[in-house]
Amino acid sequence: MNVPLLDLKAQYATIQDDIQRIMGEVCADQSFILGPLVQKLEQVIAEFIGTPEAIGVASGSDALLLSLMEFGVQAGDEVVTVPFTFFASAGVISRLQAKPVFVDITPDTWNMNPDKVAESLTPNTKAVLPVHLFGQCADIPKIEQVVAEPKIPIIEDACQAIGASRDGVKAGAMGRTGCFSFFPSKNLGAFGDGGMITTHDSEIADRLRLLRVHGSRSEYHHHLIGANSRLDALQAGILLVKYQRLAEWTAKRQDNAATYCRLFKEANLLDRITLPVVSQGNRHVFNQFTIRTARRDELSAFLTENHIGNRVYYPVPLHLQECYRELGYRKGDFPVAEQAAQEVLSCLFTRNCPPINCICRGDDQSVF
Ligand SMILES: *Cc1c(COP(=O)(O)O)cnc(C)c1O
């Protein structure tokens, strides 16, 4: 048995004709940058998320970066984020010569701990950047209360969480901006890089549309200093095709997650494995199905030996990354994030066949 973590070839086989048709149209048109397909995708995503505005950009990282630029983040400013996430969440802050200020996560959902935010705010705090990790929303309402006075903008890193919601509000519709990635392994993945920013504020949207084209409203007249960060027509076309299947694919992920949880329970493994915790009011879209166990490395090796895809997201918390040595953080500063980095394993997340029996055969070869 061979169980890949994510089988994009199998997914492609189900949409091949539509994808080839739309790619054919773009090729016939020979118009590749922004354009009507990007506009259409922006409309579709805005409506899905529940914001009046969506702005296509070159990647999820750029969605975060342009948001920070829009809020005027610059050298010497501070932006509060979490140490347990993909590097981009903090990297974009440093790109602007601003300083990432980390706060620890909660041990159940691994999202930003709202109770730790207040102590990390200073007069230099220009934004708070919580991450909706693995497809589950952070507690934005609670974080919002903490940063209400003075009002500090919240930038949602929703790169892993398209379609997730909390109390009926979708990821990307809670903060001043919501940032999405269409990296191929996300729940809605392009055939390359792509990203989207959502917002309720039409003035912010207007400026973001300038920032993605070097601040230019009309050709060769530049109002702002921006960047080249545009979404391709080809990617937009592909994403429009894939978007039609997103609800179905998300339901499948949720189904699989429920099945895995049931099987782990039935196998009496809950004393050794902690299942994903979905907190009250949350709709989790399971970009990753992530469990924790003290014997993570053994389990990972065992799964790999048995050709079952598994990955550690993320083995090194950001405050302990070499490139952040000069921020002066130490081991022990964020114990919850550090323990998560030791114990999490994202695994078994694929089509139909949850090979739980491989883990719990009870013979000499199984880990547990
Ligand atoms: C994928 C991801 C990003 C970056 O998105 P790219 O499109 O790869 O630039 C940022 N934050 C998180 C949490 C992500 O998972």
Side-chain angles (χ1 to χ4, degrees):
M1 182 165 48
N2 189 359
V3 184
L5 198 60
L6 174 66
D7 194 345
L8 286 174
K9 283 184 189 161
Q11 188 193 67
Y12 178 56
T14 70
I15 51 173
Q16 193 168 353
D17 292 347
D18 287 344
I19 295 278
Q20 288 183 352
R21 174 150 30 78
I22 197 87
M23 287 175 75
E25 282 171 26
V26 175
C27 291
D29 209 31
Q30 288 291 299
S31 179
F32 298 110
I33 307 291
L34 297 174
L37 284 173
V38 173
Q39 272 176 17
K40 175 85 186 131
L41 181 71
E42 289 174 343
Q43 280 166 12
V44 164
I45 297 294
E47 193 170 323
F48 177 61
I49 300 302
T51 55
E53 305 278 359
I55 302 98
V57 294
S59 68
S61 301
D62 271 10
L64 295 165
L65 183 68
L66 295 189
S67 295
L68 292 169
M69 288 167 73
E70 162 57 19
F71 298 127
V73 171
Q74 52 185 303
D77 291 340
E78 296 176 3
V79 177
V80 173
T81 192
V82 285
F84 190 62
T85 173
F86 178 60
F87 180 75
S89 313
V92 290
I93 300 167
S94 311
R95 279 275 307 276
L96 296 172
Q97 275 79 51
K99 184 177 152 194
V101 174
F102 296 116
V103 299
D104 213 347
I105 53 173
T106 61
D108 50 356
T109 64
W110 303 303
N111 277 325
M112 181 179 279
N113 185 341
D115 298 332
K116 302 277 180 188
V117 174
E119 66 202 47
S120 66
L121 301 177
T122 77
N124 296 327
T125 310
K126 285 288 157 24
V128 177
L129 199 161
V131 180
H132 302 314
L133 199 69
F134 301 143
Q136 169 163 233
C137 293
D139 192 347
I140 303 295
K142 218 161 169 195
I143 295 167
E144 209 158 35
Q145 282 171 15
V146 180
V147 300
E149 198 55 57
K151 203 160 179 57
I152 299 166
I154 294 176
I155 299 168
E156 290 173 73
D157 183 339
C159 287
Q160 300 181 0
I162 192 161
S165 65
R166 186 176 190 105
D167 301 328
V169 183
K170 287 230 172 75
M174 302 178 206
R176 288 280 275 284
T177 62
C179 302
F180 294 92
S181 166
F182 302 125
F183 184 80
S185 70
K186 311 292 177 172
N187 285 18
L188 181 61
F191 286 9
D193 283 307
M196 187 76 74
I197 310 172
T198 50
T199 180
H200 290 281
D201 187 322
S202 60
E203 283 173 27
I204 290 175
D206 187 49
R207 280 190 302 267
L208 288 169
R209 289 204 172 87
L210 297 186
L211 285 174
R212 74 177 168 180
V213 291
H214 288 302
S216 162
R217 199 179 293 282
S218 58
E219 221 175 348
Y220 307 120
H221 295 268
H222 300 269
H223 303 259
L224 301 168
I225 296 171
N228 170 7
S229 183
R230 302 165 301 205
L231 188 62
D232 292 353
L234 214 47
Q235 300 302 347
I238 289 161
L239 289 163
L240 281 164
V241 170
K242 288 183 125 190
Y243 174 77
Q244 295 173 346
R245 305 288 297 278
L246 180 63
E248 178 195 328
W249 290 338
T250 302
K252 185 77 192 151
R253 284 171 182 272
Q254 292 167 325
D255 266 10
N256 282 353
T259 304
Y260 300 150
C261 288
R262 179 171 57 74
L263 291 170
F264 275 118
K265 242 174 252 170
E266 284 172 11
N268 288 322
L269 285 169
L270 298 197
D271 54 338
R272 283 150 283 180
I273 288 176
T274 306
L275 297 174
V277 174
V278 182
S279 63
Q280 186 83 40
N282 260 299
R283 179 175 188 270
H284 195 322
V285 294
F286 291 102
N287 180 238
Q288 301 296 338
F289 180 85
T290 305
I291 60 176
R292 71 189 303 161
T293 171
R295 293 162 67 190
R296 191 268 312 278
D297 293 340
E298 282 169 82
L299 177 57
S300 173
F302 176 80
L303 291 171
T304 303
E305 223 168 85
N306 285 278
H307 313 289
I308 298 166
N310 67 95
R311 289 284 289 272
V312 175
Y313 301 111
Y314 297 91
V316 183
L318 301 188
H319 67 288
L320 301 179
Q321 293 287 346
E322 192 182 332
C323 65
Y324 278 144
R325 218 167 11 194
E326 64 204 51
L327 291 178
Y329 289 110
R330 295 212 174 142
K331 212 166 174 181
D333 283 346
F334 304 109
V336 184
E338 289 167 28
Q339 194 177 351
Q342 298 288 314
E343 295 190 348
V344 290
L345 189 64
S346 297
C347 63
L348 305 171
F349 212 93
T350 169
R351 280 170 294 172
N352 287 313
C353 174
I356 307 287
N357 56 343
C358 290
I359 315 178
C360 48
R361 282 192 311 240
D363 60 30
D364 291 347
Q365 286 171 37
S366 67
V367 183
F368 291 120

